[in-house]
Amino acid sequence: MPDSERRLRQQIVKLKTLRERDKAEIAQLQTDLEALVRAVHQLAVEKQQLRAELTAPDALVRMLPTQPRPAGHTVMEQ
C-alpha cells in the first residue's frame, strides 16, 4: 500500500471520529437548548403573572425595596 494511501486512510479514520464527536456534542447542545428555552418560557410566564398580580387592586404581592447600584452598573429591563 502506498504511503499516500495509508495517510489518507488515517485521515479518514480521524475525520470519522471527529464527526461522531461533533454529532454527540450537537445532540447535547440541542438538549441543553430545549431545557433553557423551557426555563426562559417558565420565567416569562411567572413574570407576567407577577406583574398582573401587582396591578390588581387587592394585590398580595409587594415589590421589595431596591438597593442603590454602584455607578457604572446597569440592569437590563424587558
Side-chain angles (χ1 to χ4, degrees), residues 24-60:
E25 183 179 3
I26 288 169
Q28 182 61 52
L29 289 171
Q30 286 173 331
T31 301
D32 293 347
L33 176 63
E34 291 168 5
L36 287 170
V37 167
R38 281 192 301 272
V40 167
H41 175 71
Q42 180 65 34
L43 290 170
V45 168
E46 289 176 6
K47 180 180 176 181
Q48 184 180 16
Q49 289 172 342
L50 286 171
R51 287 187 181 268
E53 287 180 33
L54 277 173
T55 59
D58 57 343
L60 297 176

Side-chain angles (χ1 to χ4, degrees), residues 10-27:
Q10 287 175 340
Q11 184 69 15
I12 289 170
V13 168
K14 180 181 174 184
L15 291 173
K16 284 182 178 179
T17 302
L18 288 172
R19 185 173 183 213
E20 289 303 314
R21 281 190 211 153
D22 288 346
K23 278 180 168 178
E25 183 179 3
I26 288 169

Side-chain angles (χ1 to χ4, degrees), residues 55-73:
T55 59
D58 57 343
L60 297 176
V61 178
R62 302 280 186 258
M63 273 200 213
L64 295 174
T66 59
Q67 296 291 322
R69 302 222 182 261
H73 289 79

